[in-house]
Amino acid sequence: MIKKTRQHISQNESLLFEISSPGKMGYQLPELDVPMMDPAEALGGNTRAEIEDFPEVSEVELIRHFTRLSTWNYAIDLGLYPLGSCTMKYNPRINEVVARTEGLAWAHPYQPESLSQGAMEIMAELERCLAVITGMDAVTLQPAAGAHGEMTGTLLIRALLTSRGNPRKKILVPDSAHGTNPATAAMTGYEVENIKSNEQGMLDVEALARAMNEDVAALMVTNPNTVGVFEQYIHKIAAIMHDKGALVYMDGANMNALVGIARPGDFGIDVMHLNLHKTFSTPHGGGGPGAGAVAIKKELEPFLPGPRLRRENNQWHWDYDRPRSIGRVRSFYGNFGVLVRALAYIMAHGGEGLKNATMDAVLNANYIRKLIEPYYKIAYQAPSMHECVFSDDYQSKKGVRTGDIAKRLIDYGFHPYTVSFPLIVHGALMIEPTETEPKQELDLFADAMISIAREIEENPAIVLNAPHLTRTPRVDEVTAARKPILRWKKPAESQVRAKPGDLRPDVPAREPALPASVR
Amino acid sequence: MLSTIGVNSLEDLFAHLPEDVRFRGTLDIPPGKSEYEIVDYFRARAAETAAGYASFLGAGVYSHYRPVMCDVVVSRGEFLTSYTPYQAEISQGTLTTIFEFQTMACQLTGMDVANASMYDGSSAVPEAAMMAIRVTGRRRVLVSRTVHPEYREVLRTYAQHQGMPIEEFGYENETGTIDTADLESKLDNRTAAVIIQSPNFFGVVENVSEAARIAHAGGALLVDVFTEAVALGVIEPPRDADIVAGELQSFAISPSYGGPFAGIIAAKEKFIRQIPGRLVGETKDANGDRAFCLTLSTREQHIRREKATSNICTNQALIALMATVFMTVYGKEGMRELAIQNLSKAHYLGDRLPRRFSGAYFNEFVVRANGRTPGQVNSGLLEHKIVGGLPLGRFYPELDGCMLLCCTEMSRRSDMDVVAEALRA
């Protein structure tokens, strides 16, 4: 068995503003080839002398600063990142290279269509691929992220229903849904009604039928849902909605379980979004950028945000003549650079490869489930798709909660799973390994989880106080919220600089508690 | 692995799916391609664009030089391949850079607090308007016609079903700045926000303090929008605004056919709990050392669901990091020098041309095409491998014969001379 972790030196680093000193610089602009303009004269005195307290550092200080900070991060490039619902798969580097191709990276959105054909072709091909994958009729690439796609989809639903005479009042949202679903429904002027899940973690079809009436515009369903279970009765669910003239929206966050296996367009979905930064491998980058393509059935097509791509005389054109459109949801055409990466991923896999990736994702999740199920309580007995959800019921008897287990997992060299979501599972541990993890990494993860379960039996304190091996121990989030400090400010007095000989390394305050596999 | 799970084949893992949901066909996507073929495909598509052309387009997307350091930093896997920093103990790298980003965004705009980024400038505008509505308890929004036309379209899309009436006010025909008389006549006690942009869509610098005075006199908040962040290196920051909503594309973010970019919202301290999106705050770790974490998350959708300040979840963290590195490369002195270069280049060209507006401008300006259509002028320029300005008729029918030109530090004098010649004739 290899040891996953050991301690090493980690460098401290001050904030940019603290390492800054007057007159330092890390840039060189070319000499101006036109007469210099006096800002005060050109701008009528509406000028500033300087940006107060802005950093002044040299190039080497800059690279060390950001490199040192980077070493304080966990990342997919370092190991398994099993955040449920987030699909943290490997981000192929070829995607980064092609997105930086000069003619694409420097394409201006307003340059003439005749000089944008390559960019437009990429978007058209991606739209086509995503329509094929989802089994839908058309796709818009304009939304910038998943929640933005949800907003677009909900507005499309409202527009279609309005054209039929009544936008209706409510959107039904399962109690297991992502928080973005109800937040989006509210932003688009709908009331939210929560629908209970049943004891199998699935949408309660009876409850849905009871809640259904002609005030309901749509259901927002996630499939597989947030407990990683496929909604078996999706056809019936869709029929209940459609019978009363409502639509079915699908949150595509979990599409990594379905590509090549099942198509939402074939099981009654009218509109859905895809998170290209999940299923299609574009990097999360510490929280974004994403892209939230929306796929729809034909009847919603007239309402899509403009402009739309149109092929005419062997050329791509942007069609702005969209009188029934819901309007733009962002400027220009979408997060094009992210779209390039997603298409590169699709091309690398091909149709068969995409299906294989899905199967491996489901294989990996079921493998982890099987290995740790004896030690953690599976939330629902129903078969798992691409992720498995446990509760901390066994461990909470010892006073250890899912958040504590997550922190202890860090000592074993892993990023934690998604903590305390979905809300319907008491103390949820939501684990999504993705297809790109090797078996060895999965085995190490399972071992870590089992080892932690044992530690909780023998010595829960070690878990309750975790992490022990990180450069930063537990962070006080309560004080951060109570007394928010959201920016650096120049200290009132100049700080006392350390004298030579004062700079001895920190000595650990206590003996670090090493994971069993390291000892 | 299959035997551990207790199944015989991968297919068995899907046996529980009802047959009528299964897709039994083959996805109509060509077989997987090699790295070489993929690079080749995208190079071929890139060749079908304006690669190698000089460009005088701005209008919300600017061609500024991207210092090498920006890609060096954002290409580090620890930044590129990490998630939203929920687990503070192993995310201090991202959290610290966001804290620095928030600080620099404040220094740049003269505001007290800034969030960790929005999707882009256009979506930051409706988020700022919704914030003003929460703060004032009023619902009407007045937006200047000199705000980027696509931003205004996005504002209308967001507003249409939230009971947020949007009305526009005009600009001075002579100067290209906001028509304060029109604004004052439309301002009433239902108005939550007045939205202006500076430098505005015509490149003209607005008097933000005067606009703020008018908005405040009517009990409304002033939202100031910017699309050209480089301008803030030399123009007076919008200190009198209540909320600033901006686009940071100018800071090392490739034009990339319109995205991904990074928007921000910055505001006065007292509105801190109404800001949408992620916020990073300073705190201490268990050893008493300084540490950072995501904070005030009770505003957000994963906690408050339908009562959240916004539905935003994913933001533009990596792009914001790119902007942070850009701001650090240039630093205090460089931001000013860069701004002055832009100002000087634009004035070298603009001051020789028949400009439509007399107001002070930064690096963009509107010119008349003098007897020809902007399309005709641009066609002529394409023969010199120059992409000319943006014809304005599409957005402003009354400016049909005009175009918007932009010069940056990357504009060559020789190309500017060609443009001057084309527009003078």
Side-chain angles (χ1 to χ4, degrees):
Chain A
M1 176 61 72
I2 62 157
K3 289 179 181 178
K4 179 87 163 109
T5 54
R6 68 159 75 170
Q7 283 186 296
H8 76 140
I9 287 175
S10 152
Q11 305 216 32
N12 283 326
E13 177 66 3
S14 304
L15 295 175
L16 282 168
F17 318 101
E18 295 159 345
I19 58 177
S20 182
S21 44
K24 280 203 180 182
M25 54 179 85
Y27 79 99
Q28 169 101 52
L29 279 162
E31 203 153 318
L32 202 52
D33 62 357
V34 298
M36 189 180 323
M37 204 63 204
D38 173 19
E41 192 191 313
L43 298 168
N46 191 7
T47 54
R48 76 197 306 177
E50 62 172 34
I51 306 173
E52 300 80 5
D53 304 326
F54 223 56
E56 295 175 89
V57 299
S58 68
E59 184 168 326
V60 69
E61 286 171 316
L62 181 151
I63 193 76
R64 282 189 187 151
H65 177 75
F66 289 104
T67 306
R68 285 172 181 164
L69 295 190
S70 76
T71 65
W72 304 349
N73 265 5
Y74 190 86
I76 302 171
D77 282 3
L78 289 167
L80 176 70
Y81 213 122
L83 277 175
S85 253
C86 300
T87 313
M88 295 295 284
K89 61 172 74 177
Y90 167 63
N91 307 136
R93 289 311 198 277
I94 176 70
N95 302 356
E96 299 305 307
V97 171
V98 296
R100 285 173 168 80
T101 312
E102 193 205 336
L104 304 178
W106 284 91
H108 191 289
Y110 290 143
Q111 68 192 29
E113 286 175 358
S114 61
L115 290 175
S116 305
Q117 291 296 304
M120 295 164 95
E121 171 67 28
I122 287 167
M123 296 184 76
E125 177 60 9
L126 182 61
E127 282 187 7
R128 189 194 73 82
C129 290
L130 297 180
V132 164
I133 288 166
T134 54
M136 306 293 273
D137 298 321
V139 173
T140 173
L141 301 174
Q142 202 176 90
H148 208 213
E150 290 173 27
M151 186 188 85
T152 308
T154 318
L155 289 173
L156 290 169
I157 289 168
R158 183 181 268 280
L160 176 67
L161 294 177
T162 305
S163 78
R164 288 177 181 168
N166 180 4
R168 303 190 176 192
K169 291 185 187 136
K170 279 190 294 193
I171 286 187
L172 306 181
V173 178
D175 53 7
S176 60
H178 299 114
T180 50
N181 293 180
T184 300
M187 270 176 84
T188 52
Y190 282 113
E191 290 164 33
V192 175
E193 186 171 328
N194 286 303
I195 303 293
K196 275 207 173 325
S197 301
N198 65 21
E199 63 287 349
Q200 288 177 292
M202 293 185 219
L203 198 56
D204 186 333
V205 179
E206 311 277 286
L208 180 72
R210 278 196 303 276
M212 192 56 210
N213 58 47
E214 265 144 39
D215 279 343
V216 174
L219 166 73
M220 292 180 95
V221 66
T222 308
N223 196 18
N225 60 29
T226 58
V227 294
V229 171
F230 190 86
E231 294 285 355
Q232 303 266 359
Y233 305 107
I234 189 69
H235 270 302
K236 201 168 168 190
I237 289 166
I240 291 170
M241 302 306 292
H242 292 154
D243 283 352
K244 289 237 161 56
L247 284 85
V248 186
Y249 182 94
M250 187 174 120
D251 179 329
N254 292 342
M255 194 63 196
N256 211 42
L258 296 185
V259 176
I261 296 289
R263 305 194 310 171
D266 299 338
F267 56 69
I269 303 301
D270 301 296
V271 51
M272 67 177 293
H273 77 263
L274 294 160
N275 303 78
L276 302 188
H277 49 294
K278 296 181 180 177
T279 316
F280 299 96
S281 85
T282 73
H284 282 75
V294 170
I296 50 138
K297 286 287 174 59
K298 212 173 204 75
E299 57 189 349
L300 290 147
E301 210 273 341
F303 309 103
L304 285 174
R308 297 281 299 153
L309 282 166
R310 183 166 45 87
R311 188 86 179 158
E312 216 174 78
N313 302 328
N314 249 346
Q315 291 272 304
W316 289 111
H317 299 282
W318 285 115
D319 182 3
Y320 288 88
D321 185 20
R322 311 274 309 165
R324 303 174 76 192
S325 166
I326 58 165
R328 280 183 173 284
V329 294
R330 60 153 290 169
S331 56
F332 317 115
Y333 322 111
N335 279 347
F336 177 75
V338 179
L339 308 177
V340 169
R341 290 168 173 88
L343 182 61
Y345 172 87
I346 291 170
M347 287 174 67
H349 280 73
E352 218 28 52
L354 289 170
K355 183 183 173 185
N356 290 339
T358 304
M359 291 173 125
D360 286 348
V362 175
L363 173 71
N364 285 354
N366 278 280
Y367 183 67
I368 283 182
R369 172 175 169 168
K370 198 71 185 182
L371 293 181
I372 69 174
E373 208 173 342
Y375 307 89
Y376 294 88
K377 188 180 174 198
I378 190 84
Y380 298 99
Q381 285 304 322
S384 293
M385 294 291 282
H386 68 304
E387 62 193 4
C388 46
V389 179
F390 295 86
S391 86
D392 63 10
D393 280 6
Y394 302 161
Q395 288 73 27
S396 61
K397 292 193 184 89
K398 291 272 183 182
V400 178
R401 303 304 314 273
T402 174
D404 304 314
I405 301 165
K407 296 297 184 199
R408 183 58 174 156
L409 203 43
I410 296 170
D411 283 335
Y412 284 83
F414 294 99
H415 192 281
Y417 44 79
T418 294
V419 177
S420 301
F421 184 84
L423 307 174
I424 57 167
V425 176
H426 182 255
L429 296 72
M430 186 195 210
I431 304 170
E432 180 183 7
T434 83
E435 72 279 11
T436 56
E437 291 307 321
K439 178 173 178 292
Q440 189 175 56
E441 187 80 359
L442 300 176
D443 286 335
L444 284 169
F445 175 77
D447 281 347
M449 290 297 289
I450 294 164
S451 178
I452 294 169
R454 284 206 194 104
E455 287 175 339
I456 293 166
E457 291 300 318
E458 293 159 12
N459 178 16
I462 203 172
V463 179
L464 287 168
N465 297 318
H468 304 277
L469 296 176
T470 48
R471 72 179 305 282
T472 303
R474 273 199 203 195
V475 168
D476 181 0
E477 297 185 355
V478 175
T479 305
R482 198 170 291 153
K483 295 179 193 157
I485 305 172
L486 304 179
R487 60 172 293 190
W488 176 86
K489 277 188 185 145
K490 200 175 195 164
E493 305 152 40
S494 62
Q495 281 174 312
V496 182
R497 286 200 173 266
K499 290 189 290 290
D502 277 359
L503 293 172
R504 266 169 303 178
D506 287 349
V507 178
R510 57 181 181 277
E511 198 59 28
L514 299 174
S517 63
V518 180
R519 276 181 298 212
Chain B
M1 288 171 81
L2 288 170
S3 62
T4 303
I5 297 169
V7 294
N8 295 319
S9 69
L10 285 170
E11 186 56 39
D12 287 353
L13 293 168
F14 301 91
H16 64 285
L17 298 193
E19 184 52 34
D20 61 1
V21 309
R22 285 299 304 272
F23 173 68
R24 295 294 185 186
T26 313
L27 293 175
D28 179 19
I29 294 169
K33 290 192 165 35
S34 66
E35 192 171 296
Y36 168 72
E37 291 166 296
I38 293 168
V39 169
D40 208 43
Y41 170 84
F42 285 100
R43 273 198 195 137
R45 298 292 78 72
E48 297 161 0
T49 64
Y53 281 66
S55 170
F56 287 85
L57 285 169
V61 182
Y62 304 93
S63 301
H64 291 292
Y65 177 71
R66 302 184 60 240
V68 167
M69 219 38 104
C70 300
D71 271 352
V72 168
V73 171
V74 301
S75 298
R76 284 195 67 95
E78 300 92 329
F79 287 129
L80 183 75
T81 76
S82 58
Y83 194 72
T84 305
Y86 289 124
Q87 297 291 341
E89 296 82 1
I90 47 171
S91 308
Q92 286 297 308
T94 294
L95 288 162
T96 307
T97 62
I98 295 175
F99 187 78
E100 292 176 332
F101 171 80
Q102 290 174 182
T103 303
M104 284 193 254
C106 291
Q107 293 167 337
L108 204 61
T109 57
M111 292 287 108
D112 303 319
V113 287
N115 72 3
S117 72
M118 306 300 290
Y119 304 137
D120 71 339
S122 74
S123 62
V125 171
E127 293 280 4
M130 283 149 59
M131 196 177 148
I133 284 168
R134 290 191 294 272
V135 168
T136 60
R138 301 173 173 190
R139 302 210 65 89
R140 186 166 170 259
V141 174
L142 284 176
V143 59
S144 164
R145 285 191 72 220
T146 58
V147 171
H148 194 300
E150 295 201 15
Y151 288 22
R152 282 181 281 135
E153 283 181 50
V154 175
L155 174 64
R156 278 193 291 269
T157 305
Y158 271 70
Q160 57 191 326
H161 306 299
Q162 299 200 67
M164 281 170 63
I166 307 284
E167 263 182 80
E168 297 191 344
F169 59 96
Y171 58 89
E172 296 274 1
N173 189 44
E174 174 67 26
T175 59
T177 54
I178 57 166
D179 180 344
T180 50
D182 193 29
L183 168 59
E184 279 179 312
S185 75
K186 286 175 175 162
L187 192 63
D188 64 13
N189 61 12
R190 296 175 302 132
T191 308
V194 172
I195 306 179
I196 65 164
Q197 177 181 323
S198 183
N200 68 25
F201 189 68
F202 304 141
V204 176
V205 180
E206 297 280 4
N207 186 339
V208 179
S209 303
E210 172 68 1
R213 193 193 57 74
I214 296 170
H216 294 160
L221 301 190
L222 182 78
V223 176
D224 181 47
V225 178
F226 65 87
T227 60
E228 174 48 296
V230 167
L232 289 166
V234 69
I235 69 168
E236 174 68 11
R239 294 182 216 275
D240 294 325
D242 300 285
I243 305 171
V244 175
E247 168 61 64
L248 296 177
Q249 181 272 329
S250 288
F251 290 173
I253 302 159
S254 315
S256 193
Y257 207 48
F261 299 161
I264 57 155
I265 288 190
K268 293 276 167 65
E269 181 105 41
K270 57 188 169 189
F271 306 134
I272 194 169
R273 281 169 203 276
Q274 295 302 335
I275 288 190
R278 310 281 188 203
L279 292 170
V280 168
E282 181 184 325
T283 184
K284 289 196 183 331
D285 67 20
N287 290 344
D289 289 325
R290 176 168 67 190
F292 300 97
C293 63
L294 290 172
T295 194
L296 299 179
S297 55
T298 49
R299 301 162 296 117
E300 293 186 66
Q301 46 78 25
H302 61 281
I303 309 283
R304 292 208 76 194
R305 299 175 79 85
E306 64 267 29
K307 294 189 178 68
T309 51
S310 167
N311 71 341
I312 191 168
C313 179
T314 293
N315 60 21
Q316 306 289 117
L318 194 73
I319 310 290
L321 174 62
M322 228 184 257
T324 306
V325 180
F326 178 95
M327 290 188 274
T328 311
V329 168
Y330 280 105
K332 186 189 274 187
E333 209 156 305
M335 292 293 287
R336 183 173 171 84
E337 190 182 341
L338 180 65
I340 291 175
Q341 285 216 355
N342 275 261
L343 184 79
S344 304
K345 297 260 187 176
H347 283 257
Y348 171 77
L349 180 59
D351 289 356
R352 290 195 283 164
L353 295 176
R355 277 185 296 114
R356 172 67 179 75
F357 299 113
S358 63
Y361 64 101
F362 176 64
N363 69 349
E364 290 182 274
F365 49 88
V366 176
V367 293
R368 295 188 193 88
N370 268 5
R372 283 171 300 152
T373 66
Q376 287 166 333
V377 173
N378 282 341
S379 302
L381 288 172
L382 285 179
E383 288 169 23
H384 298 272
K385 290 206 106 178
I386 290 173
V387 175
L390 176 73
L392 287 178
R394 184 175 128 205
F395 296 122
Y396 299 90
E398 72 276 20
L399 299 176
D400 195 30
C402 297
M403 63 203 286
L404 178 67
L405 287 165
C406 173
C407 300
T408 73
E409 76 283 3
M410 290 175 75
S411 305
R412 278 189 299 263
R413 182 174 179 148
S414 54
D415 292 327
M416 293 193 281
D417 290 339
V418 173
V419 173
E421 199 53 43
L423 277 157
R424 228 178 335 200

